[in-house]
Amino acid sequence: MLLHIFLTLFFAAYVASILWARIAGKLRFFARSGGIVVVVLFVAATFFEASIGLQSPFEWNRIRFVDVAAITFAWIGFLDDRRGRSGADTAFLQILSVFAVAFFLFQPFVFPTELLYFSPIQGLSLLKIGSVFGLCFIAGSLLVYVNSFRSLERIDGLAPALGTVYAGTLETVVLAWEEPSLNMTFACLALIAFLTGFLLLNIPPAKIRVGNAGSLSIGFLLACLTFCVFSYREYIRVVPILCLWTLPTIEFALRIARRWSSKASATPPNQEGLCRSLRRRLGKDSYVLLAILALQMPLSAAVVVSYKTGYDFVSLVVAALYWAGLLLSNLFGKKELKQIYLLVEKRSKNDAQDGDSFDKENAPLNRKEKEEL
C-alpha cells in the first residue's frame, strides 16, 4: 500500500518538474524557483488526504496551518530569488512566521514546554522551560533549521537529496511508533516521493533549480515534521532533533562566525563553507553531494537507534563527535575557529591597552609633577 502511494506521488512530482522546467525556460523569473513544485504538491496531497481521512478538527487545523506556513515560506523565498525584498524584510517575515507556527501549532501556552532526555538506565530527565521560553525555543529552532537548510542549497541536488534522507529518517521513526499515525506516515512518505521525483531533474548538471523558494519551504516542512515526530503535547525529545540537524547547524553556526570575524579575514563570509571546502577537495558537485550524504548517514542511523533503543546518549555522542571532528579537522571549520581566536585575542589586547592608557591618564600626580605645576 505504501509503495503504491509512493510511486504515484513520485511520478506526479517528476511530471510536474518537467512541466515547471519548460515554463521556467520561457518565464525567466521562475528559473530559480523550481522547489515550489515540491511544496505545492505537498500542500495539495496533504489537503486531499485530510479531506478523505477521518481526522479530528484539531488535526485538520494543524494540517491546514502547516500548509499555509509552507506556502508563506515559499513566497518569501520567491521574493528573495527575484531580489524583491531587503534582508531586514525577509528576516522579519521569517521570524513572524516561525513564531506563529510555534504559537498555534505547538501551543506552548496550553502545554508549557518540557525538554526530555531519555535513558532506560537513568530513566527520564525533564527540564521545564515554561511557556515563554518554550515558545522562543521552538521558534528559534525552526528559524535556525530553516536557514541552515537554505545555506546548503549551493550544490545542485543537495537540498532534495539531503531532504530525502531527513524525511526517510522521520518516516522510519514514525513507522516504529506503537500507536501508528496515518497523518504523519503520509506526510513523511509524500515528502520523500516529491523530493526524489524532483531530484531527477536537479542532479548536477541541474535542469531545474531549487532556489530560495524551494529551500526555505522544504526546510520549513522538514523542521516542522521533525518537531512533530519528536514531541508530544508539552514534551520535546530534543537530543534526536539536534543530532539529525547536526550538519546544517554546524554550517549555519560557522557562517555566522565568519560574518562576525570577517574583519579579520580577507575571504568573504559567503565564499566558504562545507560545500565549498569539499568542492576544492573533490572537484565535482556530484562527488560533493555523495560526500555530504555519506556524512549524514551515521547521524540518521544514530537517531533511529536512539529512538528504538531509548538511549538518547547514542545521538548525543554521535553529534558531539561531529562537532568536534569537523571543527578540529582540516576538512571544515578549523579556519573559522582560528579567525575567531585571533579576533578575540586582538580585541583583548586592544582592551588591555585602552585600560592601561586610562589608568595612566587618571593616575595621581607624583611630587615632581606637582612642583612643575
Side-chain angles (χ1 to χ4, degrees):
M1 182 64 180
L2 292 178
L3 180 61
H4 294 161
I5 295 175
F6 173 82
L7 291 176
T8 303
L9 299 178
F10 169 81
F11 284 114
Y14 179 63
V15 172
S17 299
I18 293 176
L19 295 176
W20 186 276
R22 293 181 178 178
I23 294 174
K26 297 179 181 179
L27 303 176
R28 293 297 179 184
F29 54 86
F30 285 139
R32 289 189 54 84
S33 302
I36 293 179
V37 173
V38 175
V39 68
V40 169
L41 289 176
F42 181 87
V43 168
T46 50
F47 259 87
F48 177 75
E49 190 267 343
S51 64
I52 64 174
L54 299 176
Q55 285 80 11
S56 65
F58 175 72
E59 290 177 321
W60 168 246
N61 287 331
R62 291 187 69 176
I63 294 171
R64 183 166 52 186
F65 189 79
V66 170
D67 288 341
V68 170
I71 293 175
T72 302
F73 273 98
W75 172 67
I76 295 171
F78 181 70
L79 294 179
D80 284 349
D81 289 329
R82 297 190 63 191
R83 306 296 181 186
R85 289 279 182 178
S86 64
D89 291 339
T90 300
F92 173 76
L93 291 173
Q94 288 190 37
I95 293 172
L96 185 64
S97 300
V98 295
F99 268 94
V101 170
F103 182 81
F104 290 106
L105 186 62
F106 298 98
Q107 300 181 343
F109 287 91
V110 178
F111 310 109
T113 305
E114 297 185 32
L115 304 183
L116 184 149
Y117 176 84
F118 188 73
S119 173
I121 298 177
Q122 299 175 349
L124 297 178
S125 298
L126 295 175
L127 177 62
K128 297 181 180 181
I129 60 176
S131 300
V132 176
F133 285 107
L135 176 67
C136 295
F137 172 78
I138 297 172
S141 299
L142 291 175
L143 188 64
V144 169
Y145 295 153
V146 168
N147 284 279
S148 64
F149 188 81
R150 178 190 186 184
S151 66
L152 292 176
E153 191 262 320
R154 304 176 188 277
I155 301 295
D156 292 337
L158 181 56
L162 194 59
T164 302
V165 176
Y166 286 163
T169 306
L170 298 176
E171 177 73 5
T172 305
V173 173
V174 171
L175 292 176
W177 282 358
E178 295 181 359
E179 298 181 4
S181 172
L182 295 178
N183 289 336
M184 291 302 302
T185 301
F186 180 83
C188 295
L189 185 67
L191 193 55
I192 296 171
F194 294 143
L195 288 172
T196 51
F198 177 83
L199 179 62
L200 295 181
L201 296 180
N202 191 236
I203 295 176
K207 297 181 179 63
I208 180 172
R209 305 285 180 179
V210 176
N212 288 320
S215 59
L216 278 176
S217 55
I218 295 170
F220 165 76
L221 288 174
L222 289 168
C224 191
L225 287 176
T226 302
F227 268 87
C228 288
V229 168
F230 291 105
S231 66
Y232 176 73
R233 297 172 72 90
E234 68 266 30
Y235 303 110
I236 299 177
R237 195 168 171 178
V238 69
V239 174
I241 298 176
L242 297 176
C243 181
L244 184 63
W245 286 87
T246 295
L247 284 181
T249 306
I250 293 176
E251 170 75 21
F252 185 72
L254 290 182
R255 187 177 182 183
I256 294 177
R258 285 192 296 272
R259 288 187 177 276
W260 182 71
S261 62
S262 58
K263 295 180 180 180
S265 173
T267 305
N270 290 331
Q271 299 302 316
E272 290 294 331
L274 179 59
C275 295
R276 293 186 180 275
S277 177
L278 290 173
R279 181 185 285 169
R280 285 195 297 267
R281 293 172 179 269
L282 302 177
K284 295 183 179 180
D285 286 354
S286 56
Y287 295 160
V288 176
L289 174 61
L290 294 175
I292 294 181
L293 292 180
L295 286 172
Q296 177 61 38
M297 289 302 180
L299 294 167
S300 296
V303 170
V304 175
V305 170
S306 291
Y307 184 82
K308 289 193 173 183
T309 62
Y311 285 95
D312 284 350
F313 184 72
V314 175
S315 294
L316 189 63
V317 169
V318 173
L321 289 175
Y322 267 72
W323 276 92
L326 288 178
L327 296 184
L328 298 178
S329 67
N330 291 325
L331 176 63
F332 179 56
K334 193 173 183 178
K335 183 186 298 183
E336 286 82 353
L337 292 178
K338 186 176 180 180
Q339 290 176 1
I340 293 173
Y341 173 76
L342 293 176
L343 184 61
V344 171
E345 187 179 28
K346 182 179 178 180
R347 290 186 176 180
S348 62
K349 289 182 179 180
N350 291 337
D351 292 340
Q353 292 176 357
D354 293 340
D356 292 341
S357 61
F358 178 81
D359 292 339
K360 291 180 180 179
E361 291 176 358
N362 293 275
L365 300 177
N366 55 33
R367 182 176 180 181
K368 184 176 180 180
E369 290 174 338
K370 290 180 179 180
E371 291 177 353
E372 291 178 356
L373 291 174

